[in-house]
Amino acid sequence: MGPLERLRKEWFILGIVLVIAVARLEPGVGVKGGPLKPEITITYIAVSAIFFNSGLSLKTEELTSALMHVKLHLFVQIFTLVFFPTAIWVFLQLLSITPINEWLLKGLQTVGCMPPPVSSAVILTKAVGGNEAAAIFNSAFGSFLGIVVTPLLLLLFLGSSSSVPFTSIFSQLFMTVVVPLIIGQIVRRYIKDWLERKKPPFGAISSCVLLMIIYTTFCDTFANPNIDLDKFSLIIVVFIIFSVQMSFMFLTFLFSTRNNSTFTPADTVAIVFCSTHKSLTLGIPMLKIVFAGYEHLSLISVPLLIYHPAQILLGSLLVPTIKSWMVSRQKRSDKDVFAGTGAGEMSSDRATKMSGVPWHKVTSGLMDFGLFLPFLRKEGTEINQAAQSTREGIIVEMACVTVNVYMYYTVHTDN
């Protein structure tokens, strides 16, 4: 990937860095009462624009195909909006005795309260080949649910930090979030064909508006001489965010793949991404409303600004690994059929491909692929126990291991 292509792909993350730098150089432009008048242009117009745009882009008509998978939806929403914020709250009780900046710790709590994102979890699920319909449903439904649940969670865990009355918060949420979202959905019904034909850049539009919100938020920060952020706290928070992201991905993976689980490997992929990703597009405007006029708003926003690129980076890095695991599990579910047909019935084209496999490359790849070897060992053990060490069991075990090794090679060479 060339520098220009990389720049086009990562423009939003670079944009975040740029607007923060500009806010640092000239904070007077975006402060409350400044030339941009953020108390009007951002609080009402920009936030309403983001949610109107979300209403236009949400394809709620496509959610019916995934509606009946109730167990999966309950798992994702409960993990995202109940377990996640509660676990973070417990963890922060331990961190409260450390010298880490208290406003960054409060920002970690706001990350836990956020709904799932509309796009990133779906994109990564699709890249792996997981249950895309379930990912779309949970992202869209979680966004709708988050409009009500997220402010309640923020007030529950951080209510004492808000300087705005509860009634004012929810009235503004209704006018700038709920109403534009509903209007967007109504408008979509009438121009659906045009939207499908033209495919407007909804994501880019929301991202540009979001950059304006981030800019004005940090203008308020840099214009306030009383706010100080030490580098030690920032580095520790970055480490915590990556650790939390990895830990929760691993936890959702374990829960969704336990022995009595009814989830398919494709379901697990959707669960892992949808349960652990958090929405920056919905989160920043909500923080702007719930903590309106609060001088530490920008510091509270920092962990969410870090969590967003972290989830995309980790998810992208794990796509090949999770894809290999999912394909291997799907192959594994067909092992009985494979054993019943016998090695002699292998198709001629597969036999031809296997005859030319450079096994030294496969061995090297397996040594690099650390998660694959434990899976083979586990699989071999389960097959051995099931077959009680009989001759047929040994043949089945060898066949399955061979198929998995071959699958790993073809997946990585074809890509």
Side-chain angles (χ1 to χ4, degrees):
M1 184 181 293
L4 291 178
E5 187 178 353
R6 172 67 68 180
L7 185 64
R8 283 194 296 268
K9 186 176 180 180
E10 308 294 348
W11 71 271
F12 179 65
I13 295 175
L14 293 174
I16 292 177
V17 176
L18 180 62
V19 296
I20 293 175
V22 173
R24 180 70 180 88
L25 293 173
E26 194 60 49
V29 176
V31 295
K32 187 175 181 179
L36 287 182
K37 300 292 182 184
E39 62 272 19
I40 298 174
T41 58
I42 300 299
T43 303
Y44 294 99
I45 299 175
V47 173
S48 298
I50 282 182
F51 286 97
F52 175 75
N53 190 58
S54 296
L56 279 178
S57 61
L58 280 175
K59 300 179 180 180
T60 49
E61 65 273 8
E62 295 183 359
L63 304 182
T64 53
S65 61
L67 185 61
M68 300 308 294
H69 208 334
V70 178
K71 186 178 178 181
L72 187 152
H73 307 325
L74 285 175
F75 182 97
V76 171
Q77 299 305 326
I78 291 174
F79 190 95
T80 303
L81 297 173
V82 179
F83 177 82
F84 202 128
T86 305
I88 293 294
W89 181 82
V90 172
F91 182 52
L92 292 182
Q93 303 311 301
L94 301 176
L95 292 179
S96 61
I97 61 175
T98 66
I100 301 175
N101 187 292
E102 64 171 312
W103 303 110
L104 290 180
L105 294 182
K106 289 180 184 292
L108 287 173
Q109 184 64 70
T110 67
V111 171
C113 298
M114 292 300 146
V118 176
S119 58
S120 64
V122 176
I123 292 171
L124 291 171
T125 300
K126 184 177 182 179
V128 173
N131 191 337
E132 185 181 357
I136 293 173
F137 180 91
N138 281 282
S139 294
F141 181 69
S143 298
F144 283 120
L145 197 60
I147 292 172
V148 177
V149 176
T150 294
L152 290 174
L153 291 173
L154 289 172
L155 294 172
L156 175 64
F157 290 107
L158 302 169
S160 61
S161 299
S162 179
S163 59
V164 181
F166 291 178
T167 54
S168 176
I169 289 172
F170 283 103
S171 63
Q172 187 173 345
L173 278 171
F174 181 78
M175 293 303 300
T176 59
V177 175
V178 179
V179 172
L181 195 69
I182 293 174
I183 293 175
Q185 281 285 283
I186 294 173
V187 173
R188 178 180 173 79
R189 294 185 62 183
Y190 292 98
I191 62 171
K192 177 183 172 183
D193 293 337
W194 182 85
L195 292 174
E196 294 295 330
R197 188 170 60 254
K198 296 296 184 179
K199 299 186 182 301
F202 293 115
I205 293 171
S206 291
S207 296
C208 289
V209 178
L210 191 58
L211 288 176
M212 287 181 58
I213 298 175
I214 294 170
Y215 168 70
T216 57
T217 299
F218 276 86
C219 281
D220 288 333
T221 299
F222 294 126
N224 188 343
N226 298 324
I227 295 179
D228 183 33
L229 176 61
D230 59 292
K231 294 180 181 179
F232 169 78
S233 295
L234 187 60
I235 293 172
I236 295 298
V237 165
V238 171
F239 175 76
I240 290 172
I241 286 172
F242 275 90
S243 300
V244 166
Q245 176 82 7
M246 287 297 296
S247 299
F248 282 1
M249 290 182 77
F250 181 67
L251 189 61
T252 53
F253 178 83
L254 287 181
F255 270 105
S256 59
T257 56
R258 65 190 189 280
N259 291 333
N260 60 344
S261 172
T262 58
F263 298 127
T264 65
D267 293 339
T268 296
V269 173
I271 287 171
V272 167
F273 288 127
C274 292
S275 299
T276 58
H277 281 213
K278 295 294 185 177
S279 177
L280 179 68
T281 305
L282 303 181
I284 292 295
M286 285 188 180
L287 290 179
K288 195 79 173 177
I289 295 171
V290 175
F291 297 100
Y294 201 71
E295 65 176 359
H296 293 95
L297 173 60
S298 59
L299 293 185
I300 295 175
S301 306
V302 166
L304 185 58
L305 294 174
I306 298 172
Y307 196 93
H308 174 76
Q311 67 189 10
I312 295 175
L313 175 62
L314 289 175
S316 301
L317 291 175
L318 289 173
V319 162
T321 301
I322 298 176
K323 184 176 183 179
S324 297
W325 170 84
M326 187 188 74
V327 174
S328 65
R329 284 296 295 266
Q330 290 172 339
K331 291 281 186 178
R332 181 183 176 189
S333 66
D334 296 333
K335 65 180 180 292
D336 291 336
V337 177
F338 178 83
T341 57
E345 298 181 19
M346 183 183 296
S347 61
S348 58
D349 58 333
R350 176 169 289 190
T352 302
K353 286 181 73 177
M354 289 190 70
S355 64
V357 171
W359 293 102
H360 66 283
K361 290 186 178 180
V362 177
T363 304
S364 175
L366 288 173
M367 293 301 292
D368 293 333
F369 190 52
L371 292 178
F372 194 75
L373 289 177
F375 172 71
L376 288 181
R377 289 197 294 268
K378 180 181 178 184
E379 179 177 287
T381 303
E382 290 174 352
I383 296 172
N384 224 9
Q385 292 172 348
Q388 297 296 325
S389 300
T390 60
R391 181 181 178 184
E392 291 80 8
I394 296 173
I395 293 173
V396 172
E397 178 179 346
M398 293 177 64
C400 288
V401 171
T402 302
V403 169
N404 277 294
V405 172
Y406 168 65
M407 177 278 303
Y408 174 81
Y409 169 76
T410 54
V411 166
H412 283 72
T413 53
D414 290 344
N415 292 337

